[in-house]
Amino acid sequence: MAKPGYGKRSAPDQVPPRADDFSHLPPREAYLAGFLDRLSDNAAMDAKTIAKAQPLYGQQAVRSALNELSRHGHLRRVRRRAQPGETGADNATRWVFHTYWSRTARSSEWWARFLAGDVPADTRADSAPEGASVDVDEVDDVRPQTAPDDVPPQAEAEPPNPPARPHPTPAYTTLARLGLHDPRLALSAADCEALQALAEEWFARGATPAHLARSLVAGLPDQVHSPRAFVQRRLRDKMPPERLAAPTEPVSPGPRRLMECTDCGVPGRPEALPGGLCRGCRDEGIQGARGREGSAVSPLAPPTRPAATPDTVRALAEQLRGAVRTSRRNLTHVLA
């Protein structure tokens, strides 16, 4: 298993495993693809560990196979910015690395959309596979229906149910209970209906039933000749201000993710890494394939540097020492 933040991650919307999942790949790539597909998430996906875990291929062969699997759309290496506290450092920027694996071959466009957070769903068959379970709720009811004329006599004799009375709103209930707080504000049903709209406006501005009741009952005069007119005046005069919209906090973007070359690990945009490989690794892979096929084009050889002689090394070292002595003298002169 890899360290936290590294290792294998399974891509979404994969088809179920089948015997011919990797039949389109060469034998080496097909063998390693089946091996990687059976690994669990968080398993190490570097060439050295994979070479030790299976007996057939070494590190260089595994690296070449991983590049081919990336070209065929089964594998992508991704680095993303760690969330605060994920790696133990809250204020420092840290990157974690994943290798996304997909049993189903994906196009470069699919991987780019997945990296951007848009996970496209695969086109699945409309019909369910053989042996699949069927939800009993989706099965049509096949029970025999009762004919309209076959009505039991008991049902004909039963009187129709009376219409249900509408449940009172909180505004209506608060107004109706004012008489319980103080008998001078006892309202009738018609009064509550007429004043309900004003009370609902209070609730729309953030007031609670207790707040509304206290505002209407506090400081009553000795006599209230018209409770309805008195409550209506107070509802209008003591109307709370409109609630201001809370300042919206900037939405923090999701974890930033970058795709990197499967071979050399150079990060880049998905459109700059078609097949999961950078330009240099793609060119080397093409030249190597042509060389293996017997083409006239020979594979690119790494640049060589001529070997340095002992005299050259001593001369360069003496030049560096002289430059250091000169800089020290100049610094001493400036300080003095």
Side-chain angles (χ1 to χ4, degrees):
M1 303 300 289
K3 295 181 179 179
Y6 296 80
K8 177 183 176 182
R9 292 292 186 276
S10 298
D13 299 330
Q14 301 188 47
V15 298
R18 297 180 302 182
D20 58 345
D21 282 333
F22 310 109
S23 59
H24 59 286
L25 298 173
R28 180 185 64 183
E29 283 71 17
Y31 170 80
L32 290 176
F35 175 79
L36 297 177
D37 188 56
R38 290 190 296 269
L39 295 178
S40 61
D41 281 1
N42 299 323
M45 293 286 284
D46 59 287
K48 183 177 181 180
T49 304
I50 296 174
K52 288 182 178 180
Q54 47 81 35
L56 297 185
Y57 301 105
Q59 294 186 36
Q60 187 58 40
V62 170
R63 289 188 61 182
S64 300
L66 292 178
N67 293 342
E68 288 297 324
L69 292 175
S70 180
R71 291 190 184 95
H72 284 84
H74 293 283
L75 180 144
R76 286 293 187 276
R77 297 195 188 277
V78 174
R79 62 176 64 181
R80 68 173 178 85
R81 181 175 295 176
Q83 297 296 327
E86 184 177 355
T87 58
D90 295 337
N91 298 326
T93 301
R94 294 290 185 269
W95 293 87
V96 293
F97 302 86
H98 303 307
T99 300
Y100 280 94
W101 171 260
S102 175
R103 185 185 310 110
T104 306
R106 313 288 192 176
S107 63
S108 297
E109 292 75 11
W110 189 97
W111 284 110
R113 293 172 60 188
F114 171 72
L115 192 64
D118 179 15
V119 182
D122 288 345
T123 303
R124 303 296 180 87
D126 295 336
S127 60
E130 296 182 1
S133 60
V134 180
D135 192 353
V136 295
D137 295 335
E138 298 178 356
V139 180
D140 294 336
D141 191 3
V142 297
R143 292 177 295 177
Q145 302 293 333
T146 304
D149 297 336
D150 300 338
V151 180
Q154 295 82 359
E156 295 178 355
E158 293 179 357
N161 293 329
R165 300 181 62 180
H167 189 72
T169 62
Y172 183 95
T173 304
T174 304
L175 294 173
R177 290 179 178 177
L178 288 178
L180 300 179
H181 295 282
D182 196 306
R184 289 171 288 183
L185 294 184
L187 299 175
S188 65
D191 296 339
C192 295
E193 290 286 349
L195 302 175
Q196 181 177 354
L198 288 174
E200 290 177 350
E201 181 65 22
W202 277 61
F203 293 156
R205 299 189 180 194
T208 61
H211 177 206
L212 176 59
R214 287 195 303 268
S215 300
L216 297 177
V217 174
L220 292 178
D222 295 337
Q223 294 182 357
V224 178
H225 301 285
S226 177
R228 174 175 173 176
F230 183 85
V231 172
Q232 182 178 10
R233 180 64 181 269
R234 283 206 166 183
L235 286 173
R236 291 176 177 174
D237 293 346
K238 294 188 175 184
M239 180 76 66
E242 294 184 1
R243 286 190 301 179
L244 299 178
T248 58
E249 298 181 357
V251 180
S252 59
R256 184 184 176 189
R257 294 187 293 183
L258 293 175
M259 191 176 294
E260 61 179 23
C261 178
T262 304
D263 191 8
C264 64
V266 173
R269 298 186 304 272
E271 56 270 18
L273 301 173
L277 298 172
C278 64
R279 181 177 180 180
C281 294
R282 290 198 308 273
D283 293 341
E284 290 181 3
I286 294 174
Q287 295 294 341
R290 290 178 179 176
R292 290 192 300 269
E293 294 174 358
S295 174
V297 180
S298 60
L300 296 177
T304 58
R305 180 180 297 176
T309 61
D311 295 338
T312 304
V313 174
R314 284 193 292 270
L316 292 175
E318 186 61 30
Q319 292 179 5
L320 293 175
R321 295 191 188 97
V324 171
R325 286 193 295 268
T326 302
S327 62
R328 288 180 177 177
R329 286 197 298 269
N330 294 337
L331 180 60
T332 303
H333 177 72
V334 171
L335 297 177

